[in-house]
Amino acid sequence: MESLIGLVNRIQRACTVLGDYGGGDSAFSLWEALPSVAVVGGQSSGKSSVLESIVGRDFLPRGSGIVTRRPLVLQLHKTDEGTQEYAEFLHLSKRRFTDFALVRKEIQDETDRVTGKSKQISPVPIHLSIYSPNVVNLTLIDLPGLTKVAVEGQPQSIVEDIENMVRSYVEKPNSIILAISPANQDIATSDAIKLSREVDPTGERTFGVLTKLDLMDKGTNALDVIEGRSYRLQQPWVGVVNRSQADINKNTDMVLARRKEREYFETSPDYGHLANRMGSEYLAKLLSKHLEAVIRARIPTILSMINKSIDELESEMDHLGRPVAVDAGAQLYTILELCRAFDRIFKEHLDGGRAGGDRIYGVFDNQLPAALKKLPFDRHLSMQNVRKVVSEADGYQPHLIAPEQGYRRLIEGSLRYFRGPAEASVDAVHFVLKELVRKSLAETQELKRFPSLQAEIAAACNEALDRFRDESKKTTLRLVDMESAYLTVDFFRRLPQETENTGNPGKPGTTPAGKPGTTPAPAVDRYSEGHFQRIGSNVSSYVRMVSETLRNTIPKAVVHCQVREAKMSLLNHFYIQIGKREAKQLSQLLDEDPALMERRQECAKRLELYKSARDEIDSVAWVLTQILMVWEILVFFTIYV
């Protein structure tokens, strides 16, 4: 089952990457679901020596006061016998360290990069993996030592800051607490035990470690603590004997230090009967075995969290889009697909699938009729203007029957007013179409990756809409001009005609030819006020008829020339131009934001790692299930057969 811890180590590294790159809450939830061992102790309690004894290497910074100023996530990976030991940092993933003195220096340098040369602390962890045949698979988190007083160069809040940082790790329900306490101090004053009791009152998650057993006063021992009489934990207490300062100064080999530790417990009159359950080697195996058991019990929860993270990563990958192809043909295909996606959304706006197209109908149903009603026909067909226009049309010779030229001038002058509403309708629809283009571009998620292509499409659309607008204006103005070019004769033929006679019998007399007959009726005064009123009224009736006609035909022309063309050929010219571009120009259009490309690569790597971990954990879980079934069968046959 050693591989199970190795898998969890890999998942934890992936979680770290997720957190570093803004992976969201799921990254931290998954991290919390993965068990790990948090090493807690006061300053100078021997934490560093315990960790080095477990690893079998001298690799941690040493000194007086606060030395561990950032959490160190230490992942141990057991390798095959005979392989070379090496270490890797997550922030230097491409570099392998075989000299552990350089590992110590890098820990110190990386700490200083974040906290500076001062004695400040930082919650940002350092991730270190050690691969060795001399370790067990294990994940340990070395935390800053608890302290009671701020020393010079530290803020007054350092005591509280360190405790809050340590508490954030040990209060997680899946955290295993390794509480380090020096044996030459009263266990009641142990900072590690005090904090672990607060977060784990039952002692279910806490392993007690007593250091400096060899430094206790003669005649005293720590059996009451180790055997659980002073302070009982559900997990065992383990005593260790670390290297002395003299051994450290002489660079005593860790193999020799471990042998001395075994000899101490085997020959000790106080602890000899516990020798097989004492020492750093036993502690490492105990922690590894317990961690495996906890992971095994947490497999369903871990798989659930992994599956959730996979779903979120796949969703993000869909949002980020596929990687851009390299060859020109594939790039052209990608551009055309993106254009089609935009065009589809644009048509949905026009056809009612999305909001916006109804504004075009509003132009025809509200804006155009309102503009037609506001035209100044009352002023143009006033008595004074009708008299003026008719008189000017007559010239030096007044009209004989009906003032046809006057009629024509009045009608033509009136119809010219329709040009304004016609052009305004075209411009209003043009504005709506441009807004729909802008909105559709914003709603085309795939295009957000390529701002250069988005800008090109926007420019091409606006250029096409400008062409459609110009053609629409020409067409609608032609409709107005056609009404002026040829008047509807039947309209005037149906009007009541003015007669030369009154229609009443005249008095007897002679005709103009001198023949006997009735007396002629008095002639109609063609320049009377009533005469000009009738002319204005007739022209007004004709203009109203034309207005109703244009109210129906202008929308038809606008839709045909602008809306229909926008639906059918908005990007046709752009397609032609794109087909002529070279590969370099196409790649420039698909030039993504470097941060977006990096984000996609990171997501792809994490997704691959998560899927691999899920498959391997699934396989391990299946093997465990099979072993359990075989065990149950053996038990059954042992009992009943």
Side-chain angles (χ1 to χ4, degrees):
M1 290 301 297
E2 288 181 342
S3 61
L4 193 57
I5 295 180
L7 282 175
V8 171
N9 286 349
R10 288 175 23 187
I11 298 170
Q12 286 175 325
R13 288 169 69 88
C15 287
T16 303
V17 176
L18 268 171
D20 289 345
Y21 286 88
D25 293 339
S26 64
F28 302 102
S29 298
L30 181 55
W31 174 271
E32 292 175 5
L34 300 174
S36 57
V37 180
V39 184
V40 183
Q43 290 184 15
S44 302
S45 61
K47 285 193 302 90
S48 297
S49 295
V50 170
L51 288 174
E52 288 182 335
S53 296
I54 290 174
V55 175
R57 280 287 187 172
D58 194 355
F59 69 98
L60 291 174
R62 291 184 177 275
S64 60
I66 181 169
V67 178
T68 304
R69 291 180 287 130
R70 289 176 60 185
L72 175 67
V73 180
L74 177 62
Q75 294 179 329
L76 305 181
H77 304 266
K78 185 173 182 61
T79 57
D80 296 333
E81 288 294 332
T83 57
Q84 186 180 26
E85 293 179 297
Y86 66 92
E88 287 182 346
F89 288 94
L90 186 62
H91 63 275
L92 296 173
S93 57
K94 295 182 180 180
R95 181 180 174 186
R96 286 188 176 184
F97 292 79
T98 55
D99 185 348
F100 282 81
L102 295 179
V103 173
R104 182 191 303 111
K105 183 177 184 303
E106 180 57 33
I107 293 174
Q108 186 64 55
D109 292 345
E110 178 61 19
T111 299
D112 291 343
R113 273 192 281 271
V114 174
T115 63
K117 297 287 185 179
S118 65
K119 296 181 180 180
Q120 301 286 344
I121 64 170
S122 169
V124 180
I126 299 173
H127 292 263
L128 172 64
S129 295
I130 294 178
Y131 299 82
S132 169
N134 303 318
V135 299
V136 294
N137 289 307
L138 193 59
T139 298
L140 299 162
I141 304 175
D142 185 21
L143 297 166
L146 297 166
T147 184
K148 294 183 173 65
V149 180
V151 299
E152 186 178 353
Q154 294 179 335
Q156 291 301 314
S157 62
I158 189 72
V159 176
E160 184 179 354
D161 293 341
I162 292 177
E163 181 175 341
N164 290 338
M165 183 196 302
V166 173
R167 188 182 295 274
S168 69
Y169 281 89
V170 299
E171 66 184 2
K172 297 172 183 176
N174 290 312
S175 176
I176 300 168
I177 304 171
L178 190 63
I180 310 291
S181 302
N184 56 356
Q185 294 181 12
D186 189 349
I187 195 67
T189 64
S190 170
D191 297 320
I193 293 299
K194 175 179 178 293
L195 183 60
S196 65
R197 179 184 293 175
E198 293 176 6
V199 298
D200 181 31
T202 63
E204 181 181 357
R205 297 187 288 117
T206 303
F207 285 80
V209 177
L210 280 182
T211 62
K212 305 182 181 182
L213 289 170
D214 55 329
L215 300 181
M216 296 183 69
D217 294 336
K218 289 184 178 181
T220 62
N221 59 53
L223 285 176
D224 284 347
V225 177
I226 291 175
E227 293 178 347
R229 291 189 291 273
S230 294
Y231 183 74
R232 179 174 295 279
L233 298 171
Q234 292 192 32
Q235 307 299 336
W237 283 87
V238 178
V240 297
V241 174
N242 299 322
R243 292 182 300 169
S244 65
Q245 189 60 48
D247 292 333
I248 295 172
N249 294 337
K250 287 190 270 186
N251 292 323
T252 301
D253 183 72
M254 278 294 180
V255 176
L256 179 60
R258 284 181 174 179
R259 187 166 67 245
K260 286 184 176 180
E261 183 185 40
R262 286 195 301 271
E263 291 174 355
Y264 173 83
F265 285 112
E266 289 171 356
T267 59
S268 170
D270 295 322
Y271 310 113
H273 65 291
L274 300 173
N276 63 334
R277 289 183 286 144
M278 295 289 114
S280 55
E281 288 182 284
Y282 172 77
L283 175 63
K285 293 176 182 177
L286 178 68
L287 291 175
S288 180
K289 184 178 179 180
H290 182 74
L291 185 58
E292 287 174 359
V294 173
I295 292 173
R296 194 180 304 121
R298 297 285 180 178
I299 281 179
T301 303
I302 294 172
L303 285 175
S304 175
M305 297 302 298
I306 290 176
N307 287 329
K308 180 182 177 183
S309 295
I310 288 174
D311 291 341
E312 292 178 354
L313 285 171
E314 288 179 337
S315 175
E316 185 173 1
M317 287 292 289
D318 291 339
H319 178 72
L320 293 173
R322 295 170 294 179
V324 179
V326 178
D327 60 290
Q331 288 178 343
L332 180 60
Y333 176 80
T334 300
I335 291 173
L336 294 178
E337 282 293 301
L338 293 171
C339 290
R340 292 188 189 103
F342 155 75
D343 196 46
R344 182 170 57 253
I345 293 176
F346 178 71
K347 288 177 180 177
E348 288 176 1
H349 278 294
L350 289 177
D351 294 333
R354 297 172 184 250
D358 56 312
R359 293 170 58 192
I360 296 176
Y361 176 73
V363 172
F364 303 144
D365 194 52
N366 299 316
Q367 185 173 327
L368 177 60
L372 293 175
K373 288 180 181 179
K374 291 180 181 178
L375 292 177
F377 294 129
D378 291 343
R379 186 175 69 249
H380 184 67
L381 297 178
S382 64
M383 180 65 64
Q384 181 181 359
N385 194 56
V386 170
R387 185 190 304 273
K388 177 176 177 292
V389 172
V390 170
S391 299
E392 289 176 352
D394 283 348
Y396 72 91
Q397 183 176 343
H399 58 272
L400 299 177
I401 302 176
E404 181 173 334
Q405 290 302 319
Y407 267 107
R408 288 189 178 276
R409 290 191 182 185
L410 286 170
I411 291 172
E412 289 172 359
S414 298
L415 297 186
R416 276 195 292 271
Y417 286 115
F418 288 117
R419 296 174 69 91
E423 289 184 313
S425 297
V426 171
D427 289 335
V429 171
H430 177 70
F431 177 79
V432 173
L433 291 174
K434 289 185 73 171
E435 279 294 299
L436 293 183
V437 164
R438 183 192 60 78
K439 197 171 183 181
S440 300
L441 285 170
E443 292 174 1
T444 308
Q445 295 296 329
E446 301 93 327
L447 276 175
K448 292 182 178 180
R449 297 168 51 192
F450 311 108
S452 298
L453 178 59
Q454 193 177 40
E456 287 263 357
I457 292 176
C461 289
N462 290 333
E463 182 182 342
L465 291 178
D466 288 344
R467 291 198 308 271
F468 302 154
R469 177 196 59 192
D470 295 342
E471 186 60 33
S472 183
K473 278 190 178 182
K474 291 178 183 177
T475 302
T476 53
L477 293 179
R478 283 194 190 105
L479 290 176
V480 176
D481 293 341
M482 284 190 293
E483 293 293 342
S484 301
Y486 186 78
L487 305 182
T488 305
V489 179
D490 287 344
F491 176 85
F492 293 97
R493 288 177 178 171
R494 289 195 298 268
L495 291 175
Q497 297 298 310
E498 295 175 351
T499 59
E500 294 186 10
N501 297 326
T502 61
N504 294 326
K507 296 181 179 179
T510 42
T511 64
K515 297 180 181 179
T518 58
T519 303
V524 176
D525 183 1
R526 297 188 182 279
Y527 292 94
S528 67
E529 185 175 335
H531 175 63
F532 290 116
Q533 283 179 344
R534 280 191 297 274
I535 293 174
S537 176
N538 292 338
V539 172
S540 179
S541 297
Y542 184 80
V543 169
R544 282 198 300 273
M545 181 192 73
V546 173
S547 178
E548 288 300 317
T549 302
L550 292 177
R551 179 176 174 177
N552 294 320
T553 55
I554 287 175
K556 295 177 185 294
V558 171
V559 169
H560 179 80
C561 296
Q562 290 177 264
V563 181
R564 179 175 171 274
E565 286 299 312
K567 285 180 64 177
M568 295 178 60
S569 59
L570 182 62
L571 291 174
N572 282 5
H573 184 69
F574 180 70
Y575 292 148
I576 295 172
Q577 297 300 316
I578 282 293
K580 298 177 181 178
R581 298 200 181 184
E582 301 292 335
K584 184 178 180 181
Q585 294 173 313
L586 294 177
S587 62
Q588 289 174 349
L589 287 178
L590 296 176
D591 187 18
E592 286 187 280
D593 181 359
L596 190 66
M597 296 173 65
E598 184 179 354
R599 177 67 177 159
R600 185 189 298 108
Q601 291 173 355
E602 291 294 336
C603 281
K605 289 178 183 178
R606 295 197 300 277
L607 188 59
E608 181 182 0
L609 180 61
Y610 272 46
K611 287 183 176 180
S612 174
R614 180 184 61 183
D615 294 341
E616 293 187 49
I617 291 178
D618 273 337
S619 65
V620 171
W622 183 84
V623 171
L624 286 173
T625 303
Q626 300 303 310
I627 292 174
L628 183 60
M629 290 176 59
V630 171
W631 175 256
E632 290 176 348
I633 292 172
L634 289 175
V635 171
F636 175 82
F637 276 95
T638 302
I639 297 175
Y640 297 104
V641 178

